[in-house]
Amino acid sequence: MSRIPKYISKSISFVYLLIILGGSFLFSTVLDSVFEFPRQIDWFFYSAIPFAAGASFSSLNEILKFNILKVDSHKSFNYFDLAFEIPNILSEIVEVKEIEIFINKNLRQYLQISNIALLIDKQLLNTKKHKIITTWNDKQEITGIYEKYSLDEESLILTNTKYFPELYEMGYQVCVPIKINRIKQGMVLFSGKISEAPFDPIELTTITSVVIQIAATIQRIKPYEVIKLAHHTHKEKMNKEYSVAQDIQQNLLPVKAPSLKHATFDTLFISAKEVSGDYYDFFVFSKHKVGIIIVDIVGKGIPAAFTMINLKGIIHRNIDHSLSPQDFMTRINTLLYLDRSIPMFVPTFYGVLDLKKNEFSYVNTIGNAGAVYLAKAKSPYFLDKGGFMLGASEHANYEEEAISFGSGDQFLFFTDGITEQKNLEGQEYKLDGIIKSLEIESNTLTETQKIHAGFKKHKGPTEQKDDVTIISLKID
């Protein structure tokens, strides 16, 4: 579609206006002479003439104006979209990745060009590297050119074989620096048009205007990007810390459970994303006597891991087969109370299995966790005798209980990470969930694997908030 010269369009508009005015005046005069309208109606016709002429002129002028701007899609882009849609889109942008979407989805289509590359200076967003958005594989080259040239030009730069030859050889024909307070803060590069036609002055002016709007958008969203970067950096640091804590925790836990003639141990440990500090251990005193300890350390991450290291050292230095659970817990409580490197409250369960006496004696200070005794044809019996958490009082008293067991009976030892896990409806797994999961019929799953299957089904997509520790002891 070819352009209509401006002087012709203006001449047509002027002549059209004269015709409308003359025709309207003549029409009103003829009607007045034939029908002899009252004076009020005469005034109505005469006053309506300018409005009719103006409306007609405006309509024709818009048509002509549209035809002046509307050219073949292979020669230019849609000015009306740029004028009205782009400011609206940019006003809704709140982060840099949305600018990338805008450039690739909207701007390239509007401008009908192959590629647009945006470089945002690292100092503007407080990042380690310049942020570069491009669909071509040329980020390294763009960075080198940006750091090589000062880009002192205030607005648009046209590339050629002499002026910015590197950009020209890469396929970019226009470079517009991003200046904020007259300081170089980036640049936007535009490749040639798909039609291979050169940019005309109106197009270049429009491109400059668009870049100014992009620069304003970047400056507006800068605070959000800085906060997001700080959050991301903190999150990376925390993830690294949690990874170190998980490694420490895994190295402190026993590699395998004891192997006894008339008892089968089975363990399950699932570390939470934010390591919480579950610790368990076994102490084989003889071929028929084993000590079992579970600790739910207060805290998360590295602090919880270091607490676990100190606590394990204290426990291993003081464990003694001659001590009853009550005497052992009393001794450890005093040591923890005097040791300020350990948190004030340490929920702990300690029990001793004696296969010679068919007896299990224990002290529980974990509270709503610890252990449960499952005898054949009997209701579950929660092992809750004990006292307050270790380290809280120097002279604490602990109650010990002894359970007599028989063949086929079972003990479950656990922390509250499994019983307090909630599902999407906010319901906790509780002890009932653990016991119900043991009813799963399977010839391949171990006891803890059954519990794990039921736990996963209950938890669903909800996040695991705490470490999960389960030890199953089955009497053969």
Side-chain angles (χ1 to χ4, degrees), residues 57-252:
F57 174 75
S58 176
S59 299
L60 178 64
N61 194 45
E62 287 299 318
I63 293 171
L64 295 171
K65 181 179 178 182
F66 179 77
N67 280 287
I68 292 170
L69 294 178
K70 187 177 180 182
V71 294
D72 194 308
S73 60
H74 294 290
K75 294 182 180 180
S76 185
F77 44 78
N78 195 323
Y79 294 92
F80 297 104
D81 285 342
L82 289 173
F84 296 105
E85 291 190 32
I86 286 182
N88 292 333
I89 296 173
L90 290 175
S91 66
E92 296 177 356
I93 287 177
V94 295
E95 52 184 324
V96 170
K97 69 178 182 181
E98 292 179 358
I99 296 179
E100 181 173 4
I101 295 172
F102 159 73
I103 287 175
N104 292 326
K105 184 179 179 181
N106 303 103
L107 196 56
R108 284 172 54 202
Q109 178 181 352
Y110 289 147
L111 302 183
Q112 298 166 22
I113 61 179
S114 303
N115 187 41
I116 300 172
L118 168 64
L119 184 147
I120 305 174
D121 198 292
K122 57 186 178 183
Q123 294 181 352
L124 182 60
L125 298 178
N126 296 328
T127 55
K128 294 180 180 180
K129 296 181 179 180
H130 302 309
K131 174 66 178 179
I132 300 177
I133 297 171
T134 177
T135 57
W136 292 350
N137 186 24
D138 55 1
K139 290 185 177 181
Q140 187 173 353
E141 292 83 355
I142 291 174
T143 301
I145 294 170
Y146 177 76
E147 294 177 347
K148 178 180 178 181
Y149 294 100
S150 61
L151 298 177
D152 292 331
E153 293 78 0
E154 290 296 327
S155 57
L156 180 139
I157 304 167
L158 294 175
T159 65
N160 52 47
T161 54
K162 294 182 179 181
Y163 202 56
F164 286 83
E166 300 97 332
L167 288 176
Y168 185 77
E169 291 175 3
M170 291 166 61
Y172 295 107
Q173 295 185 11
V174 179
C175 170
V176 184
I178 294 176
K179 296 289 185 73
I180 298 177
N181 297 327
R182 296 187 178 181
I183 299 175
K184 180 181 74 170
Q185 298 287 7
M187 65 179 181
V188 185
L189 306 176
F190 298 84
S191 69
K193 293 192 287 187
I194 297 175
S195 64
E196 298 183 357
F199 291 105
D200 62 33
I202 297 178
E203 292 170 336
L204 295 176
T205 302
T206 306
I207 285 174
T208 304
S209 174
V210 171
V211 173
I212 291 172
Q213 294 178 67
I214 291 175
T217 302
I218 295 171
Q219 193 171 17
R220 174 174 57 81
I221 67 176
K222 176 183 176 180
Y224 171 79
E225 288 292 329
V226 171
I227 294 172
K228 187 175 73 171
L229 176 63
H231 174 73
H232 179 72
T233 303
H234 175 72
K235 189 175 181 181
E236 282 188 335
K237 181 180 177 181
M238 294 302 295
N239 287 339
K240 186 176 181 180
E241 178 181 317
Y242 293 141
S243 177
V244 172
Q246 283 180 338
D247 291 341
I248 294 173
Q249 186 179 39
Q250 291 291 343
N251 290 328
L252 291 175

Side-chain angles (χ1 to χ4, degrees), residues 429 437-442 445-455:
Y429 193 45
S437 65
L438 293 173
E439 299 173 1
I440 297 175
E441 295 183 4
S442 174
L445 295 178
T446 65
E447 297 297 288
T448 58
Q449 286 173 342
K450 291 179 181 179
I451 295 172
H452 189 204
F455 173 75

Side-chain angles (χ1 to χ4, degrees), residues 270-400:
I270 311 171
S271 178
K273 183 179 180 182
E274 299 181 4
V275 178
S276 300
D278 276 13
Y279 165 67
Y280 70 92
D281 213 339
F282 301 101
F283 309 100
V284 180
F285 300 129
S286 67
K287 61 182 180 180
H288 57 77
K289 192 174 184 180
V290 175
I292 304 166
I293 193 166
I294 294 181
V295 183
D296 190 355
I297 293 172
V298 177
K300 295 181 182 294
I302 292 292
F306 281 123
T307 297
M308 198 185 305
I309 293 173
N310 294 333
L311 183 61
K312 181 174 181 177
I314 292 173
I315 291 172
H316 276 251
R317 286 193 300 269
N318 291 277
I319 195 73
D320 190 331
H321 70 91
S322 64
L323 292 176
S324 67
Q326 183 184 44
D327 293 338
F328 173 75
M329 294 288 268
T330 301
R331 176 186 291 186
I332 296 298
N333 173 71
T334 302
L335 292 172
L336 294 183
Y337 180 82
L338 298 174
D339 190 342
R340 295 297 90 191
S341 67
I342 304 293
M344 185 176 294
F345 305 112
V346 183
T348 307
F349 177 95
Y350 176 64
V352 176
L353 172 71
D354 192 332
L355 291 173
K356 198 176 230 184
K357 296 181 180 179
N358 285 342
E359 186 177 85
F360 182 82
S361 54
Y362 75 93
V363 171
N364 182 8
T365 71
I366 291 184
N368 62 344
V372 63
Y373 170 54
L374 304 173
K376 292 187 298 182
K378 290 184 180 180
S379 300
Y381 178 71
F382 187 64
L383 307 184
D384 59 354
K385 301 298 186 294
F388 202 59
M389 291 178 281
L390 300 185
S393 173
E394 184 177 5
H395 304 292
N397 294 317
Y398 296 100
E399 180 184 359
E400 178 179 322

Side-chain angles (χ1 to χ4, degrees), residues 262-266 408-411 447 472-476:
H262 297 293
T264 302
F265 284 97
D266 184 21
D409 290 352
Q410 184 176 8
F411 292 88
E447 297 297 288
S472 169
L473 168 58
K474 202 160 188 179
I475 308 300
D476 299 336

